[in-house]
């Protein structure tokens, strides 16, 4: 909503525009009227829209043309005043004032005009017959008001309509020539309809209409009022009502009707409630609410956010197969101005045999986005209408900012549920295969991935004695001469080498000694492609000797090229009560290690990963309180 409104009054001498302004502050017609009234500010608390309004008078006798041009450039709305009993002043509206104003304003952002017929007390007839052709000729004219400064007739109405022309402009919404909504307005209202259509059946039923009404106007509609609305649509449109619910066509028709009847503030109230500005764009404040993230803290979705995302998934999973087909994904993102997920997403999260994103993969992708780029996650939730549907101040309410990691380590407790593992290794060592094996993909499926669809991330859930955690694997591009802070900032490091390449382990050893030997970040050595023939590494120490010397767990064999699924993470999905659960089966050895950490007596570094002692203990810990990673004990 605009912070204030600036109204400029112009007109020929002696049309009484100064008297109109003065009548606002005095109930009596003044004996002497000055050539120009001083600027008046009407406080916000006495205006219907609760917006301060500045009223400015232009006097040809006291001010220059340059001052007039400056005032035109600052005005939000201009009232052209004429005298109803002075034909010459009416002619000047089109011969002088409108051309002058148009010459001084940009064609694409012209200010709305109000025609004001003053001195109506001096005539018995209306000037509207003369004015209507002018209004039809110039689309910038919002309305015409006849009034009398002497009798105080329609003075408040004049300034109300002027304010309304600024705060609720017709221009962005409606095309008078075509007598229909403009494309940008249709686009915005279509998104609002889809967000409000909670079951995604293409109609707004009574419950959804009442929710919409309550959201926008703070009051539900009585049953009879609901029927009256639908009857109006039925009388005017054959397909505006279906199954006793309002279709998109019926919804758009109602707003067209509001605007045609001069009630465009109704449509603007709806648009602004759903985050739109005067240009029918979602505001930055709506899409990107403020959220403070201190250093060394991460961002996660909270319980309500996951419930909301589950409801979004359920309403678009039309065939109830617990996965989103390409068409279902496209339908889900129709409320976005662009497609937020590219083809790499299908290689970042779990998919079914058809390559469609599963429920678990869907939530994993949202978790990944929130962890890596919380601003983007806020934007996406804004498009979906999270704050509106969940009646929150903003989407920031969907976020949890975790505690500083150093404090977690000191206290040996955490409430985090997302943990990052950076995967390092020489080129060709098998890092990509390691990530894809984590998602349960064998060599055959890995070979089908196009180069331009490749992802450097893999994320899914893993269970640690009954607690569900998100494990995020990030493949770091090899560059031994320089590893950035982002390459080093993680909870776990996996150093991957190819057992079939004699120079592969040397990279891991050098990276470990330069960056991690004195770090508290736990490291795990991964022997990739271990189903192939293992060759001697060209390094002073063998991988096993190196790990023993630095008190690391022995290298973990990973059969990333195996065709069989028995040594890959396989998700068994069941759908019950609208929820999909994923159960780890045959977890790969390296993930078992990451989950258990020090539990094995193989000299894992003391900052390694710990675990919840029993599934019974884990069962009584709320999901969002669970903590079993990074040297942290479960909460007491």
């Amino acid at each position: 909503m605009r912070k204030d409104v600036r109204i400029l009054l112009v007109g020929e001498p002696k049309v009484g525009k100064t008297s109109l302004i003065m009548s606002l502050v005095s109930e009596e017609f003044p004996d002497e009227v000055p050539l120009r009234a001083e600027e008046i500010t009407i406080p916000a608390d006495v205006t219907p829209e609760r917006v301060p309004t500045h009223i400015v008078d232009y006097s040809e006798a006291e001010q220059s043309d340059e001052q007039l041009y400056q005032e035109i450039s600052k005005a939000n709305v201009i009232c052209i005043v004429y005298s109803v009993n002075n034909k010459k002043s009416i002619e000047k509206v089109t011969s002088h004032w409108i051309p002058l104003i148009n010459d001084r304003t940009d064609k694409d952002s012209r200010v709305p005009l109000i025609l004001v017929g003053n001195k109506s007390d001096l005539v018995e007839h209306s000037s509207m017959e003369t004015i209507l052709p002018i209004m039809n000729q110039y689309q910038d004219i919002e309305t015409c008001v006849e009034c009398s400064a002497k009798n105080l007739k329609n003075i408040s109405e004049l300034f109300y309509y002027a304010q309304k022309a600024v705060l609720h402009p017709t221009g962005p919404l409606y095309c008078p020539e075509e007598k229909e909504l403009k494309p940008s307005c249709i686009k915005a209202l279509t998104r609002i309809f889809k967000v409000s259509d909670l079951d995604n059946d293409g109609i707004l039923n009574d419950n959804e209409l009442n929710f919409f009404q309550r959201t926008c106007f703070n009051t539900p509609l009585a049953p009879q009022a609901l029927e009256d609305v639908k009857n109006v649509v039925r009388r005017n449109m054959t397909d505006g009502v279906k199954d006793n619910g309002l279709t998109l066509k019926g919804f758009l028709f109602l707003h067209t009707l509001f605007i045609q009847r001069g009630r465009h503030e109704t449509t603007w109230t709806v648009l602004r409630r759903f985050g739109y500005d005067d240009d029918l764009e979602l505001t930055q404040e709506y899409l990107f609410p403020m959220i403070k993230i201190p250093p060394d803290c991460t961002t996660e979705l909270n319980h309500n956010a996951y419930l909301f995302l589950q409801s979004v998934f359920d309403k678009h999973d039309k065939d109830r197969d617990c996965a989103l087909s390409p068409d279902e994904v496209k339908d889900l993102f129709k409320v976005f101005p662009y497609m937020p997920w590219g083809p790499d997403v299908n290689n970042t999260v779990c998919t079914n045999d058809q390559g469609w994103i599963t429920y678990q993969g869907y939530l994993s992708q949202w978790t990944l986005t929130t962890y890596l780029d919380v601003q983007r996650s806020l934007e996406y939730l804004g498009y979906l209408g999270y704050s509106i549907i969940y009646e929150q101040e903003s989407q920031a309410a969907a976020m949890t900012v975790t505690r500083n990691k150093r404090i977690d380590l000191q206290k040996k407790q955490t409430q985090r549920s997302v943990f990052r593992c950076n995967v390092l290794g020489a080129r060709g060592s098998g890092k990509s295969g390691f990530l894809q094996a984590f998602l349960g993909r064998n060599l055959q499926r890995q070979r089908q991935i196009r180069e331009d669809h490749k992802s450097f991330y893999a994320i899914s859930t893993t269970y640690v004695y009954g607690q569900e955690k998100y494990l995020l694997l990030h493949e770091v591009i090899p560059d031994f001469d320089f590893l950035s802070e982002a390459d080093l900032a993680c909870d776990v490091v996996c150093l991957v080498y190819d057992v079939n390449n004699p120079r592969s382990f040397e990279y891991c050893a050098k990276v470990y000694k330069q960056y991690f030997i004195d770090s508290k970040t736990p490291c795990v050595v991964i022997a990739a492609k271990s189903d192939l023939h293992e060759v001697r590494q060209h390094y002073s120490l063998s991988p096993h000797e190196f790990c023993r010397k630095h008190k690391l767990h022995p290298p973990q064999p990973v059969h990333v090229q195996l065709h069989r699924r028995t040594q890959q993470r396989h998700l068994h999905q069941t759908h019950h009560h609208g929820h999909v659960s994923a159960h780890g089966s045959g977890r790969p050895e390296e993930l078992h290690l990451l989950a258990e950490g020090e539990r094995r007596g193989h000299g894992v570094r003391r900052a390694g990963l710990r675990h919840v002692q029993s599934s019974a203990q884990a069962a009584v810990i709320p999901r969002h309180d669970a903590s079993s990673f990074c040297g942290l004990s479960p909460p007491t």
Side-chain angles (χ1 to χ4, degrees), residues 81-178:
V81 184
Y82 65 91
S83 176
V84 295
N85 66 342
N86 186 331
K87 188 177 180 181
K88 185 178 179 181
S89 70
I90 297 175
E91 292 172 351
K92 280 278 195 172
V93 169
T94 54
S95 65
H96 175 69
W97 290 111
I98 293 180
L100 184 148
I101 292 166
N102 287 344
D103 286 344
R104 295 290 163 176
T105 53
D106 185 67
K107 184 178 181 180
D108 296 325
S109 57
R110 284 181 176 164
V111 294
L113 305 177
I114 305 288
L115 300 187
V116 181
N118 193 21
K119 302 187 179 182
S120 63
D121 57 292
L122 299 180
V123 296
E124 295 181 356
H125 61 276
S126 171
S127 63
M128 288 302 179
E129 286 188 11
T130 307
I131 295 301
L132 278 174
I134 299 175
M135 293 180 67
N136 291 331
Q137 181 181 355
Y138 296 96
Q139 301 304 323
D140 298 330
I141 300 174
E142 286 285 328
T143 190
C144 176
V145 181
E146 288 190 342
C147 55
S148 169
K150 187 173 183 178
N151 293 344
L152 303 181
K153 177 186 175 183
N154 286 343
I155 303 301
S156 297
E157 287 78 1
L158 157 63
F159 293 107
Y160 166 74
Y161 282 116
Q163 188 186 63
K164 181 179 173 181
V166 179
L167 301 178
H168 309 300
T170 308
L173 307 181
Y174 186 74
C175 180
E177 298 94 335
E178 304 293 334

Side-chain angles (χ1 to χ4, degrees), residues 145-216:
V145 181
E146 288 190 342
C147 55
S148 169
K150 187 173 183 178
N151 293 344
L152 303 181
K153 177 186 175 183
N154 286 343
I155 303 301
S156 297
E157 287 78 1
L158 157 63
F159 293 107
Y160 166 74
Y161 282 116
Q163 188 186 63
K164 181 179 173 181
V166 179
L167 301 178
H168 309 300
T170 308
L173 307 181
Y174 186 74
C175 180
E177 298 94 335
E178 304 293 334
K179 292 184 173 56
E180 60 185 29
L181 299 175
K182 288 188 173 179
S184 57
C185 182
I186 292 174
K187 181 180 177 181
L189 289 174
T190 299
R191 170 185 165 263
I192 291 170
F193 180 91
K194 282 191 66 66
V195 169
S196 303
D197 182 11
L198 302 178
D199 57 8
N200 198 36
D201 64 351
I203 62 172
L204 297 184
N205 58 39
D206 286 358
N207 288 334
E208 290 165 340
L209 279 170
N210 258 323
F211 178 81
F212 170 82
Q213 176 75 12
R214 206 167 51 247
T215 297
C216 297

Side-chain angles (χ1 to χ4, degrees), residues 17-47:
K17 58 183 174 55
T18 303
S19 302
L20 290 172
I21 298 174
M22 295 182 67
S23 64
L24 279 175
V25 296
S26 174
E27 294 184 358
E28 296 182 1
F29 191 77
D31 295 330
E32 292 186 17
V33 180
L35 294 175
R36 176 173 174 265
E38 294 296 324
E39 180 178 326
I40 293 175
T41 297
I42 303 174
D45 57 358
V46 298
T47 63

